[in-house]
Amino acid sequence: MSESTLNDDLDLSGLPLVDNPVMPYLRQERIPHIWCPGCGIGTTVNCFTRALEEAAKDLDKVAIVSGIGCTGRVAGYLNLDSFHTTHGRAIPFATGLKLANPDLSVVVYSGDGDLFAIGGNHFMHAARRNMDILVVCVNNFTYGMTGGQVAPTTPIGATQTTMPFGNFENPASLPFLADAAGATFVARWTVFHVRQLTRCFKEALGKKGFRFIEIMAPCPTLFLRRNRLGDGVDMVRQYKERSVLRNGADTKEVAVGMEGDIVVGTFVDRERPTWLDAMNSHFSSVLGDRYRTYGG
Amino acid sequence: MSDEAPVRKAKGTVFVQPEVCKGCSYCIEFCPTDCLEFGREFNAKGYHYPILGRPEDCTGCGLCGLYCPDFAIFGMRFKDLEAARAAAAATPPTR
Ligand SMILES: Cc1ncc(C[n+]2csc(CCOP(=O)(O)OP(=O)(O)O)c2C)c(N)n1
Ligand code: SF4
Ligand code: SF4
Ligand code: SF4
Ligand SMILES: [Mg+2]
């Protein structure tokens, strides 16, 4: 594809083209991607790849695992060791990957439905055991891929195909869930906060334990259209206007609704032994010299 | 180019791949110096794509490229551009 600089006074002849900085991280033959115009998922991918670059990660040691859904497609577009698993099972798959090859940096990248509806039990137990994985949830408050059904995150009052008169179910607040289950790092940003999100990814990639990042993103085709909330860009403008930075906020107080503040920042940052560390120290103390520590 | 150095206030520029743009306007809306706008042309899918309407205001900050969900635009500072081109010449992307 040709590039156009639109700056007439710039002579670029004789030099090779520069690529979009995201390109080396993508399976370029799959671009253009399937995401709708104004869908926020692609923006999160820019931030994630920029963070990989800034963190100078050895890409042969990074694996990405997705479940099923529009967000689940991320694994298929990234030029890493990618695993597109079954619906809801990204976390158990990632757990196996990490335990079989403890040197890997394992990232789960999936949607709110995948991680918190069908996959909710796995999320809870991986956080409780402090599995050393980074879980990224693109929260668009709906099941995008299947046509806009109500999700465990859908705010009260929002209309969805399965809640035509508006949702009355209490939604889960993801940072609160992650905190209560024992995650060592919990942060929330939105697609508006591209610089902050990039920094957050980088920070989380450099830590150990069960780390969770929620990213609020517009699904214009299903969530916004059904609720007459405009285009993707209108929602991102809302994120800009409604967001309030509160690092260290009590996760009991960060629930989001159709209106009101969207609290963003790093809410939890603590240390706990990972599952492997705990196993090693336990068996070392029980079995002494008879135990050979594994990985970690 | 002439002997006289061109007078350019711009500190950077953008690169657009019109064919993958889906016209979402993220880049236009969130450019800090408001220097992008939709052009009059359509791409093959029927979307208008951004052009640098006020090139002199572009700082090359790269935010448009971070926002673009379709990987259709990115910005770069002039001072980084030649290094990037030299690097691109020296090492073809392996991934
Ligand atoms: C076992 C099983 N049940 C149901 C489905 C249908 N299904 C596919 S994606 C999806 C929900 C996706 O929602 P989310 O994870 O939020 O992803 P999004 O598309 O919103 O990014 C469902 C229910 C499936 N593929 N497999
Ligand atoms: S349906 Fe929604 S989440 Fe899926 S690609 Fe379209 S806008 Fe994105
Ligand atoms: S590089 Fe920065 S200043 Fe230039 S168009 Fe993009 S966002 Fe605007
Ligand atoms: S952000 Fe990307 S897809 Fe959206 S209008 Fe700009 S170039 Fe096109
Ligand atoms: Mg979803």
Side-chain angles (χ1 to χ4, degrees):
Chain A
M1 271 170 283
S2 67
E3 61 175 21
S4 53
T5 75
L6 310 160
N7 262 48
D8 297 338
D9 59 351
L10 196 62
D11 181 13
L12 301 172
S13 54
L15 286 163
L17 302 184
V18 266
D19 243 348
N20 187 320
V22 72
M23 281 303 158
Y25 297 88
L26 299 180
R27 294 170 197 259
Q28 296 179 32
E29 68 282 4
R30 299 197 176 175
I31 306 298
H33 57 56
I34 54 138
W35 296 315
C36 307
C39 175
I41 300 171
T43 304
T44 73
V45 171
N46 287 319
C47 300
F48 180 64
T49 61
R50 222 65 109 243
L52 285 176
E53 189 167 303
E54 287 173 19
K57 277 277 179 191
D58 174 358
L59 299 186
D60 290 332
K61 294 247 164 68
V62 182
I64 178 142
V65 187
S66 290
I68 303 297
C70 296
T71 310
R73 308 292 292 228
V74 168
Y77 291 125
L78 284 174
N79 195 10
L80 298 168
D81 286 332
S82 309
F83 302 91
H84 196 181
T85 69
T86 49
H87 194 29
R89 313 300 174 221
I91 287 177
F93 189 97
T95 299
L97 199 56
K98 177 70 194 180
L99 295 184
N101 191 346
D103 286 343
L104 283 182
S105 182
V106 179
V107 182
V108 169
Y109 213 114
S110 215
D112 48 313
D114 186 78
L115 287 168
F116 290 97
I118 189 168
N121 56 338
H122 302 302
F123 184 92
M124 178 176 95
H125 294 294
R128 174 180 65 79
R129 297 155 123 186
N130 202 20
M131 266 318 146
D132 184 19
I133 57 178
L134 167 61
V135 177
V136 179
C137 177
V138 176
N139 185 2
N140 52 18
F141 303 94
T142 191
Y143 290 0
M145 178 152 278
T146 44
Q149 292 82 3
V150 84
T153 45
T154 307
I156 288 181
T159 299
Q160 295 286 262
T161 45
T162 48
M163 283 284 189
F165 302 108
N167 178 36
F168 57 83
E169 284 182 17
N170 196 39
S173 174
L174 306 185
F176 180 43
L177 246 166
D179 183 7
T184 54
F185 181 88
V186 180
R188 175 198 280 147
W189 293 104
T190 79
V191 159
F192 169 70
H193 300 92
V194 286
R195 291 255 192 255
Q196 296 92 327
L197 176 59
T198 303
R199 231 176 292 136
C200 180
F201 272 133
K202 186 179 165 192
E203 190 186 353
L205 283 166
K207 289 182 182 286
K208 275 181 82 170
F210 188 91
R211 294 143 287 160
F212 176 63
I213 303 175
E214 175 188 16
I215 312 166
M216 290 176 55
C219 167
T221 305
L222 296 156
F223 191 80
L224 302 189
R225 193 167 55 98
R226 248 173 216 289
N227 289 290
R228 298 180 200 283
L229 289 167
D231 283 333
V233 72
D234 299 312
M235 197 65 212
V236 183
R237 211 181 295 120
Q238 266 208 38
Y239 295 156
K240 178 182 177 181
E241 286 154 10
R242 288 170 54 194
S243 59
V244 187
L245 174 65
R246 257 198 273 145
N247 287 320
D250 183 342
T251 56
K252 282 195 196 78
E253 286 156 18
V254 303
V256 280
M258 294 294 275
E259 285 163 9
D261 288 354
I262 297 169
V263 183
V264 295
T266 299
F267 306 141
V268 175
D269 190 359
R270 61 186 163 207
E271 281 188 31
R272 275 202 311 132
T274 65
W275 189 85
L276 266 184
D277 292 342
M279 179 184 80
N280 280 328
S281 72
H282 176 67
F283 285 133
S284 296
S285 73
V286 176
L287 302 172
D289 290 346
R290 283 179 296 154
Y291 182 68
R292 261 204 1 252
T293 56
Y294 174 76
Chain B
M1 282 214 279
S2 70
D3 291 344
E4 280 174 62
V7 189
R8 53 180 192 221
K9 283 157 59 196
K11 293 203 192 76
T13 190
V14 296
F15 299 88
V16 181
Q17 292 192 329
E19 289 315 317
V20 292
C21 170
K22 293 182 189 153
C24 71
S25 78
Y26 279 25
C27 57
I28 297 173
E29 175 78 22
F30 300 112
C31 165
T33 64
D34 204 18
C35 60
L36 296 168
E37 62 192 36
F38 279 124
R40 303 189 53 171
E41 304 288 314
F42 297 101
N43 66 15
K45 294 216 172 96
Y47 297 114
H48 287 293
Y49 50 87
I51 59 166
L52 201 47
R54 285 163 293 284
E56 65 281 8
D57 291 339
C58 180
T59 61
C61 70
L63 262 185
C64 49
L66 264 185
Y67 276 107
C68 178
D70 286 89
F71 320 125
I73 189 171
F74 68 99
M76 203 177 260
R77 294 188 176 90
F78 289 137
K79 69 181 172 71
D80 297 332
L81 192 57
E82 273 171 34
R85 279 172 190 268
T91 47
T94 50
R95 279 205 160 250

